[in-house]
Structures are given as structure tokens and as C-alpha cells.
Amino acid sequence: MTGIDLSRRGAIPTSTTLQAHWFAAPLAASVYPWLLALYHAAAREVERGAGPAAWIGAGLALAAALAMPAVAFGAALRLGRIGEPSAAELAARRTALLAVAVPPMFTLTGVAALLLGHPGWDIGFLLLVWAALALRIATADRTPRRRAASDAGGASGSWRKAHGVGAVLALLFLAFHFSNHLVGLVGPDAHMAVMKVLRVVYRSPVIEPLLIGVFAFMILTGLRLAWRWSARPMDAARILQVAGGVFLVWAVISHVNAVLYLARVHFGIDTDWGFAVGAPVGMLLDPWNIRLLPYYLGAVFFVVAHAFCGLRIVMLAHHAPRASADRVLAGGIVFAALLATTIILAMCGLRLDFA
């Protein structure tokens, strides 16, 4: 993220009355778990040999669940264009950015509830969270506010540069990590063979703590940058960058918790392909595991898209034509979607036979 203000074009005025779109994101996040449950109910009927109606119902329910973060993103797009948001509009904007991350939030909350011995608490807890955030929006001051000097100035250059350096280190690891998952298209054995080689490096006593430290640093600096940028009017690229960063904060926390504590300490099992896909049942037919699909899909997508958002800002800072920077970002988004979809298909059982 940089100090370049890309957001003044197309800014819209504030509103002093409650607006329905302020609550679209918490509502979408609230219904998200129920849509996954609806998918599972239809998927069970498919497994029992039901007809086309069950297949269509499962597909529509899963598509609707995947659309909920997109609904939140759409709300963030609209709220992000407000030039001088009131406290209510700013709360709605930040809630929308948070709601984009509902897939990893739901996964992390589910693991936490499982560890506490109350696996049914996750949905109720999240409903309370979204209800509280909606109440905050409804009761906050709706008087237009002028941006403070700290908001207008953006985040300090040192924080941005440090975050960028950390991003390069994180991406080096993630490039190998995602490549390893692509090998899953060949099969779990091939995936594990590659993983054993890579683990010699990233699970070494020196590299593993370093990686954890890098991701912790990325979370802390990213949250600081996201909080400051969210107070400013933002264009679509900036909103994608901030929303993606918020999603990745929750995804990294969820992933580290699952790997380092849930698997290694609580269950005492290896974090192999079977652990990742929820074997032996898999993601598609288990009521808990289905939450992994939107979480993994979004995590891979936002890692790549977030990086390309940063690249776009770097290009603009070095006086590259805006059209060129926008084309690079568009290409990055397409690549992110293709990579995320391919990895998810591999994790859902798609195999390529090279024999």
C-alpha cells in the first residue's frame, strides 16, 4: 500500500439517514453458514441417488454461499466511494471489508468451538458478532465528518515498505506451497512426495520460526495499513487490496492455528493431503469440511490478487501509465481466479493422467 491517493475520482456524498446497503454485508455474512448447511442437505440427497433437483439445489446453495463475500465486497465498493463518511458510514464500510473474510472467520471459529468442546457454538457466536456490528452501524453518528490530517496523509512510508518486504518473503514460500498443491492434480502420493522435499527447508528449526515471524509481521503491519486506508475514500483497486488483506489476516491465523495446534498438538497427526481436504469424507460431502472450500478458494485468490494490487500501486508510484497498471491488475485477477479454481478442483478430487 502506498501514500498515493487514488480515490478522489467519483467520490459520493454522505447520507444522514439509514441506508439499506449499510447492512448488506453483515446480513450476507450472517446467512453464509446456513447456505453451506443447505448445500450439505442437498448434497446428501445427491449421494443417496436423488434426481436433478437435488443436484441443482446443491449447486445453487454453494453458489449462493460463495456469493456472500462478493455481496460484502459490493457493499464495500459503494461505501468506499463516500468522500467524507459519517461514523455510521465508516462503521458500515469497515464491517463490509470484514464480512468479505467470512469464510476464514467461519473456519477459525469452528476450530475454536471444536477445541472448546462445543462444536455447535460457532454459528451462534458469529451471528452475535454480525448483529453487534449491525447495531453499531445503526446507532452510530450520521453527521458527516471531515477527514483528520492523519487520515488524509495515509500510512507512513516506512510501514508500507516494511510490509512490502515481508510480502516478498511470504510470496516466496507461498509460490512453492501453491505449486505443491497443484501437484495434487496428479494425486495425493505425488503431493506428499514433493511436500517431503520442501519440508526439509520450511520445517527446519531455523526457517519455520522465521516464516511464522514473517506472517505475524504481515498481519500486524497489514492491519495497521488497512485500518488507516479504510478511513479514506477508495477506488475499486484499493478496496480489493484492503478487503483481500483483511481476508488473508483471518486465513493466516486460521491456517497457522490448524497446522500448529489443531493437527500437531490436539490431534497429533500429520498435516498431509488428507488433513487438508478433510479425508476420508472430503470437503464436498461433510457438513463441517464444506466450509474449507470457500476458505481455500478465497485464500489462494486473494494472495495473488493482493500481490497484484500492490504491484499496481508500485507501477503508478514509478509513473507507469494508469492504463498499463490497470491491465496488469486485471491480468493478475484472472490468473488468481484460475489458480484458485485449479487448486480447489484438485482438492475436490480432479486428477490428470499423464500416462
Side-chain angles (χ1 to χ4, degrees):
M1 299 180 182
T2 76
I4 300 173
D5 191 352
L6 305 176
S7 54
R8 290 192 176 278
R9 298 180 304 164
I12 61 176
T14 189
S15 174
T16 57
T17 58
L18 286 175
Q19 301 294 312
H21 65 271
W22 293 359
F23 303 96
L27 178 60
S30 296
V31 302
Y32 171 81
W34 303 106
L35 291 171
L36 290 179
L38 186 61
Y39 160 80
H40 176 68
R44 287 188 64 184
E45 293 301 314
V46 171
E47 190 180 17
R48 293 168 181 166
W55 283 89
I56 295 173
L60 290 176
L62 184 57
L66 292 172
M68 292 303 100
V71 170
F73 182 76
L77 279 176
R78 185 169 180 178
L79 291 159
R81 294 174 56 206
I82 300 173
E84 295 181 343
S86 64
E89 288 168 325
L90 185 56
R93 179 191 293 175
R94 285 173 169 159
T95 298
L97 292 168
L98 180 64
V100 174
V102 65
M105 290 179 67
F106 186 38
T107 302
L108 178 62
T109 306
V111 171
L114 179 67
L115 292 173
L116 290 172
H118 298 280
W121 284 7
D122 51 356
I123 295 179
F125 174 77
L126 285 177
L127 284 175
L128 288 176
V129 169
W130 299 119
L133 290 172
L135 181 62
R136 163 62 182 159
I137 295 168
T139 57
D141 183 20
R142 296 193 289 275
T143 304
R145 59 183 277 274
R146 288 191 175 274
R147 283 185 288 158
S150 59
D151 290 341
S156 65
S158 58
W159 280 89
R160 297 192 307 270
K161 292 176 182 177
H163 189 75
V165 171
V168 172
L169 296 175
L171 286 171
L172 286 174
F173 164 73
L174 290 170
F176 288 103
H177 190 63
F178 291 164
S179 298
N180 191 185
H181 277 66
L182 285 173
V183 176
L185 288 166
V186 180
D189 292 339
H191 173 271
M192 195 62 202
V194 174
M195 179 181 284
K196 286 180 179 179
V197 175
L198 295 177
R199 279 180 174 179
V200 174
V201 178
Y202 69 73
R203 282 203 177 181
S204 71
V206 175
I207 299 300
E208 186 172 52
L210 177 61
L211 280 173
I212 295 172
V214 166
F215 281 109
F217 178 77
M218 293 296 293
I219 288 172
L220 294 175
T221 56
L223 284 173
R224 184 179 188 274
L225 292 168
W227 184 262
R228 296 194 66 171
W229 277 113
S230 65
R232 310 178 62 185
M234 299 179 287
D235 63 3
R238 180 69 76 190
I239 292 170
L240 177 63
Q241 187 178 24
V242 175
V246 174
F247 189 106
L248 293 175
V249 164
W250 287 95
V252 169
I253 294 173
S254 178
H255 194 66
V256 170
N257 175 63
V259 171
L260 297 186
Y261 186 81
L262 181 67
R264 295 191 194 178
V265 177
H266 186 74
F267 288 133
I269 59 176
D270 190 19
T271 52
D272 56 8
W273 182 263
F275 174 78
V277 302
V281 181
M283 290 189 289
L284 295 176
L285 296 177
D286 184 86
W288 199 100
N289 291 343
I290 185 57
R291 74 183 72 194
L292 297 175
L293 191 153
Y295 158 44
Y296 290 155
L297 185 69
V300 176
F301 173 81
F302 278 121
V303 162
V304 179
H306 189 70
F308 273 94
C309 285
L311 177 59
R312 173 181 179 267
I313 298 302
V314 172
M315 291 177 66
L316 291 172
H318 287 81
H319 310 294
R322 182 178 295 274
S324 298
D326 289 344
R327 282 195 293 268
V328 168
L329 176 57
I333 291 172
V334 172
F335 173 65
L338 290 174
L339 178 64
T341 302
T342 302
I343 288 177
I344 280 298
L345 289 175
M347 300 184 82
C348 289
L350 177 67
R351 296 292 177 263
L352 299 179
D353 187 1
F354 296 101

